[in-house]
Amino acid sequence: MALACDIPVFRFALDRWNGDLYQLHVAPQRLLDFKKRIPDSANAEVVADEKLVGDAAELWFPTLPNGAVSKSVAWSEAIDEKTLPILLNSPIRTEIVQRLCRGDSGVWVLLEGKDTAANDGAARLISVALRGVEKTAKLPVMTWNDPASAPGPGPELRIGFTMLRLDPADAAESATAAMLVDPANHGAADPTQPTALLIFGRGHVLVSLRKEQLAAANIQSASRFLLGACSCEVKEEHPGWDLLMDADWDARLQLIDEQRKATTTEPAVRPNVTLKPESIEIHGSTSAPASTEILTPQPVWPKVGGVALALAAIAGIWLLFTRSKNTTR
């Protein structure tokens, strides 16, 4: 069953959506060797492929949303000590991880084409569209006292989008560029024209906008989707695919959370976030005293003396009443 919650889509994904597994196909005799080289922090698994020999390898996209094994090959090359690190990570993927962990709602990646003017025009379009989103968008109304609707450990919740430009000709980013080609249309994209992709969560690609789709309305619509309340807990119901990332997300988010709390002396300010009135629970006053006057403790002895005098007076009255009664008898 899919449950609704108040957490924005981008933060729900960062908290809970682990990256789908890529399959690295290698020759059977290389299986054990490469299984040892793939770290647990990377969303990839090694598979023996009888059709491959020697150092030949293929990287397959993760399983499709309907559960079927993807037949789309993202990358194919001889794998060795030089190519394996490029496959597992790259400078731009490292930067994406850092930006998402610091609290960016999403990172737009402009996969450049061969037309420099078109690349620059697309970059300007994205930048202007994102500034419009940040000025007008608001986060969902949050129910902070409901554990099911509160973000997990990590950065402070905020609205923020950034952009990175990727040159496919950069050898260090060759595998990244291959993964940024939509697996549903792999090989159909025009490499001469720029493509804009929105990445969020733990490396999930939400949309891929080609030249004819690059419009401010589309950029803003996709960005605003990430700011809305998460509609369900089922990752497969959302469009897109994952990138291969070598990152221990849980450990990073926990460390960031601890660092943030250690440097925070006042309650965190959450921009554009308000609590639902009906969900507020008040346990004692949280307001400051109306006066800043310092109250000096009063001595106890005057109070004790007053009590003694009162008791003496009562005893005197009782004694007079007793004598008067005896005299009457």
Side-chain angles (χ1 to χ4, degrees), residues 168-190:
D170 183 353
E173 301 293 352
S174 58
T176 308
M179 296 175 204
L180 287 173
V181 179
D182 188 345
N185 301 297
H186 210 263
D190 183 358

Side-chain angles (χ1 to χ4, degrees), residues 34 47 86-87 154 218 224 227 229 239 247 254 260 264 288 323 327:
F34 281 103
V47 177
I86 295 174
L87 190 65
N218 291 337
R224 289 180 185 277
L227 303 179
Q254 186 63 45
R260 177 174 62 83
T264 301
R323 287 180 179 177
T327 302

Side-chain angles (χ1 to χ4, degrees), residues 10-11 13-20 40-44 88-89 92-104 107 152-155 199-205 235 242-257:
F10 75 87
R11 186 52 181 267
L14 182 63
D15 290 344
R16 312 189 189 192
W17 289 359
N18 291 318
D20 293 333
D40 293 337
S41 53
N43 54 313
L88 294 176
N89 213 340
I92 202 167
R93 276 181 278 170
T94 298
E95 182 64 23
I96 290 171
V97 171
Q98 292 176 349
R99 293 190 182 194
L100 293 175
C101 285
R102 79 183 183 190
D104 281 16
V107 179
I199 301 171
F200 71 106
R202 300 189 175 191
H204 191 76
V205 181
K235 178 183 178 184
D242 289 323
L243 296 180
L244 172 54
M245 298 282 202
D246 182 8
D248 189 336
W249 294 93
D250 291 332
R252 284 173 177 266
L253 293 173
Q254 186 63 45
L255 178 60
I256 290 172
D257 191 67

Side-chain angles (χ1 to χ4, degrees), residues 87-310:
L87 190 65
L88 294 176
N89 213 340
S90 73
I92 202 167
R93 276 181 278 170
T94 298
E95 182 64 23
I96 290 171
V97 171
Q98 292 176 349
R99 293 190 182 194
L100 293 175
C101 285
R102 79 183 183 190
D104 281 16
S105 309
V107 179
W108 281 89
V109 173
L110 180 62
L111 183 61
E112 297 180 337
K114 297 180 181 179
D115 188 334
T116 302
N119 295 336
D120 294 340
R124 288 192 297 270
L125 175 64
I126 295 171
S127 297
V128 172
L130 293 182
R131 298 295 80 78
V133 172
E134 292 179 347
K135 289 180 180 179
T136 59
K138 292 185 178 181
L139 293 173
V141 176
M142 300 292 294
T143 310
W144 292 96
N145 60 340
D146 180 4
S149 295
E156 188 60 37
L157 194 63
R158 64 181 177 85
I159 294 175
F161 292 90
T162 55
M163 179 184 66
L164 294 170
R165 298 176 66 161
L166 189 154
D167 181 1
D170 183 353
E173 301 293 352
S174 58
T176 308
M179 296 175 204
L180 287 173
V181 179
D182 188 345
N185 301 297
H186 210 263
D190 183 358
T192 65
Q193 298 299 326
T195 302
L197 304 101
L198 177 54
I199 301 171
F200 71 106
R202 300 189 175 191
H204 191 76
V205 181
L206 178 66
V207 293
S208 174
L209 303 178
R210 299 183 298 277
K211 178 185 177 182
E212 63 275 13
Q213 301 167 320
L214 270 174
N218 291 337
I219 295 167
Q220 293 180 340
S221 176
S223 300
R224 289 180 185 277
F225 171 78
L226 296 186
L227 303 179
C230 192
S231 59
C232 69
E233 297 187 33
V234 183
K235 178 183 178 184
E236 288 74 15
E237 292 187 9
H238 290 283
W241 70 97
D242 289 323
L243 296 180
L244 172 54
M245 298 282 202
D246 182 8
D248 189 336
W249 294 93
D250 291 332
R252 284 173 177 266
L253 293 173
Q254 186 63 45
L255 178 60
I256 290 172
D257 191 67
E258 293 172 357
Q259 293 173 341
R260 177 174 62 83
K261 290 179 178 178
T263 57
T264 301
T265 55
E266 296 293 335
V269 178
R270 299 176 171 91
N272 299 322
V273 181
T274 55
L275 296 175
K276 293 180 179 179
E278 65 273 13
S279 67
I280 296 177
E281 294 183 6
I282 300 176
H283 302 282
S285 175
T286 58
S287 60
S291 172
T292 57
E293 179 184 357
I294 299 176
L295 301 179
T296 304
Q298 299 298 317
V300 178
W301 294 113
K303 296 181 180 180
V304 175
V307 173
L309 290 174

